[in-house]
Amino acid sequence: MTRITRRLALGAAAATLAAPALRAQGTAIRIIVPFAPGGSTDAVARLVAPGLTQRLGAPVVVENRSGAAGAIGTDAVAKARPDGLTWLLTFDSHATLAALLPQLPFNPDRDLDPVMLIGGAPYVLACKPDKPFRSITDVVDAARARPDAVSFGSTGNGTIGHLTMVLLQGRTNTRITHLPYRSGGLAVNDTVAGHTDMMIGSAAVVHPHARSGTLRTFAQFGPQRLPALSDLPTVAEAGLAGLEAEAWWGVFAPHGTPQDAVSRMNAALKESLNEERVRATMQEVQQARLVASSPGELATFLAREVAKWGEVVRANNIRAD
């Protein structure tokens, strides 16, 4: 092959690889977060958006569409054109949608393709500092003394935080009043204001407030203590072995999105998450265990989560708000 012919061939190959990105120039890429602003899912989406804009060659816009435990925003993605311009960045409640809402207008398995499991963070219990709870035992004792009088906030009916508290009540034979919110940020606000006795949320959304002193954490549901919360015992240490729950964030695409577009998004996410600033924020502020999985690894992980938490939803006849 002559030098000129080789240059032409290399140039054609480069143009072919660049074409999808060039077609996206000037066209916004949407990341739909199916929860209100202020929660950890919204924070993760906005954290990676600048890096994605740089790597995908198009502006990346985060759009919040909250409601029905994440089903409203997820439905918008499931029905979007599979052109690589619409993506879903969602929370762990995605695993319970089919069990929670039997009449969903979409099928989570058929209508969405996995892209990446970003990572996870353990659920923690927190309260306003003037509340009396300093351990999971304090909560159990108070709930037994006054059934239904103690309240907790979560990000909504059927979310993993809510289901974890359902399991806790079953294990301890207690009744605790549930106050569902539309995002972790709203649950934090009411807990800080004292409108609910405590809240369950991911360490990602609770830790900044614990660090500033507006909330006090007193139990974590991870398999071991978080380094940043090394003084905070796990519920297993309090005698509730096996009661574990971890929040997680995953990215999905409308079914049929071209594989090369999925691969580009996966690669752009990995590179964005590996930026020093982003990685530090995820680990130190969001308290996340980064995974940055392949699409197939997310599919396998999700199947396990669906089986585990779907059973809790069905066994307790839980429905969305």
Side-chain angles (χ1 to χ4, degrees):
M1 180 181 291
T2 67
R3 183 178 300 174
I4 293 176
T5 304
R6 187 182 302 114
R7 284 179 181 172
L8 290 172
L10 291 173
T16 299
L17 291 173
L22 291 173
R23 282 197 299 268
Q25 290 285 353
T27 303
I29 295 172
R30 295 187 304 161
I31 295 182
I32 292 182
V33 172
F35 301 98
S40 65
T41 312
D42 180 67
V44 170
R46 295 182 189 280
L47 182 63
V48 299
L52 294 178
T53 293
Q54 175 186 348
R55 292 173 174 87
L56 296 174
V60 173
V61 178
V62 177
E63 182 178 321
N64 299 87
R65 292 200 187 184
S66 62
I72 291 176
T74 303
D75 182 52
V77 177
K79 291 186 168 77
R81 291 181 59 187
D83 54 10
L85 296 178
T86 304
W87 307 83
L88 174 73
L89 198 161
T90 191
F91 200 46
D92 53 41
S93 57
H94 186 79
T96 66
L97 283 178
L100 191 65
L101 298 162
Q103 304 302 317
L104 277 175
F106 62 94
N107 184 300
D109 290 331
R110 290 198 306 264
D111 298 337
L112 293 165
D113 292 342
V115 178
M116 174 185 282
L117 173 62
I118 290 177
Y123 273 95
V124 300
L125 284 171
C127 63
K128 191 178 178 182
D130 62 4
K131 295 290 183 180
F133 309 118
R134 295 185 177 275
S135 70
I136 195 74
T137 301
D138 291 340
V139 172
V140 172
D141 289 345
R144 284 175 175 165
R146 299 182 299 143
D148 298 318
V150 177
S151 62
F152 76 93
S154 82
T155 53
N157 280 339
T159 55
I160 304 302
H162 173 214
L163 299 181
T164 301
M165 293 299 287
V166 169
L167 291 177
L168 172 66
Q169 292 172 78
R171 288 279 297 274
T172 59
N173 192 28
T174 55
R175 297 204 311 270
I176 306 173
T177 297
H178 179 215
L179 301 176
Y181 292 87
R182 296 180 70 182
S183 76
L186 295 175
V188 165
N189 291 343
D190 266 15
T191 307
V192 169
H195 299 319
T196 181
D197 291 317
M198 59 183 168
M199 69 166 289
I200 184 167
S202 72
V205 74
V206 172
H207 179 61
H209 302 275
R211 187 173 54 190
S212 69
T214 56
L215 287 178
R216 179 175 67 239
T217 54
F218 58 89
Q220 56 182 311
F221 288 86
Q224 62 269 331
R225 297 191 185 195
L226 274 179
L229 300 173
S230 59
D231 294 333
L232 186 64
T234 66
V235 294
E237 293 175 75
L240 295 168
L243 187 56
E244 297 178 3
E246 187 176 55
W248 55 267
W249 306 275
V251 178
F252 296 82
H255 177 63
T257 298
Q259 187 56 51
D260 63 339
V262 171
S263 297
R264 283 197 305 275
M265 175 58 82
N266 184 280
L269 279 166
K270 282 184 179 178
E271 291 179 8
S272 298
L273 290 167
N274 277 323
E275 289 180 16
E276 184 176 351
R277 177 188 65 85
V278 174
R279 176 173 287 275
T281 301
M282 288 293 292
Q283 294 177 337
E284 298 170 15
V285 178
Q286 301 293 341
Q287 295 301 301
R289 173 183 59 84
L290 285 175
V291 177
S293 79
S294 68
E297 288 167 337
L298 172 56
T300 299
F301 171 82
L302 180 61
R304 291 197 302 266
E305 289 287 289
V306 168
K308 174 182 177 179
W309 295 110
E311 177 57 31
V312 180
V313 170
R314 290 185 290 270
N316 293 277
N317 195 31
I318 295 169
R319 290 289 178 265
D321 299 332

